[in-house]
């Protein structure tokens, strides 16, 4: 009987620990977004508005996810620093893309535009309108193509 109780308690503890470590997303009012995030959206996406905002929390980190009325998805970290813009097929605002990366794309892919920018630990993950993904370091130096 003690073994059965111990087994059940172990299962409950394991389930609780597993649930606590997973991320969850909670819809929020746009008033709860950091001021820098709201300012960025107003400055770079005039005429568009926030259709949906949420806070995505996991074990160690929190970030804000925003979807605009045109489908553009923008992620900010906990203090409102921009992390990712996904405009799908529209052009990402140039202010977020370092000049060296813009120059590389214009030179090597003259018919393509940048539709997604994701800041990573190593640098930038760029997606073009022709579905090519490029990796750059923080200085804007090209690293490699990604399939």
């Amino acid at each position: 009987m003690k073994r059965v109780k111990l087994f059940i308690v172990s299962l409950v503890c394991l389930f609780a620990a597993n649930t606590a470590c997973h991320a969850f997303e909670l819809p929020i009012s746009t008033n709860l977004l950091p001021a820098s995030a709201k300012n960025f959206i107003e400055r770079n996406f005039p005429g568009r508005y926030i259709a949906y905002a949420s806070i995505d929390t996991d074990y160690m980190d929190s970030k804000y996810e925003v979807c605009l009325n045109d489908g553009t998805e923008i992620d900010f970290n906990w203090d409102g620093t921009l992390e990712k813009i996904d405009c799908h097929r529209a052009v990402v605002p140039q202010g977020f893309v370092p000049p060296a990366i813009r120059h590389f794309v214009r030179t090597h892919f003259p018919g393509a535009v940048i539709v997604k920018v994701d800041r990573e630990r190593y640098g930038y993950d760029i997606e073009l309108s022709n579905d090519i993904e490029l990796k750059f370091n923080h200085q804007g130096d090209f690293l490699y193509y990604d399939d």
Side-chain angles (χ1 to χ4, degrees):
M1 186 67 175
K2 283 185 177 180
R3 285 187 174 173
V4 172
K5 286 183 182 178
L6 181 62
F7 178 73
I8 291 172
V9 169
S10 297
L11 279 177
V12 169
C13 289
L14 182 63
F15 177 74
N18 188 30
T19 303
C21 292
H22 281 73
F24 64 92
E25 187 174 319
L26 181 67
I28 61 169
S29 166
T30 57
N31 298 338
L32 297 176
L33 289 171
S36 57
K38 290 189 279 189
N39 291 338
F40 176 83
I41 292 168
E42 290 171 6
R43 189 174 57 252
N44 291 287
F45 297 95
R48 290 174 251 183
Y49 60 88
I50 298 172
Y52 177 81
S54 66
I55 185 165
D56 190 3
T57 305
D58 64 16
Y59 181 67
M60 298 290 288
D61 197 15
S62 294
K63 70 177 179 179
Y64 295 95
E65 296 178 353
V66 174
C67 185
L68 303 182
N69 63 319
D70 67 346
T72 298
E73 298 171 11
I74 309 170
D75 292 353
F76 300 93
N77 69 10
W78 61 271
D79 70 350
T81 303
L82 186 60
E83 289 186 344
K84 180 175 94 172
I85 299 177
D86 187 354
C87 293
H88 301 287
R89 292 291 173 201
V91 180
V92 169
Q94 290 197 10
F96 183 61
V97 183
I101 295 174
R102 290 194 315 257
H103 177 71
F104 182 90
V105 170
R106 271 195 311 269
T107 303
H108 294 87
F109 303 96
V113 295
I114 298 172
V115 296
K116 181 179 177 183
V117 178
D118 194 358
R119 284 189 183 162
E120 300 287 345
R121 290 180 189 239
Y122 61 83
Y124 294 89
D125 183 5
I126 305 292
E127 185 176 323
L128 303 179
S129 56
N130 58 4
D131 292 326
I132 293 176
E133 289 187 31
L134 310 169
K135 307 290 183 181
F136 294 86
N137 65 17
H138 286 290
Q139 291 74 37
D141 300 322
F142 175 71
L143 299 174
Y144 60 93
Y145 295 95
D146 192 15
D147 306 19

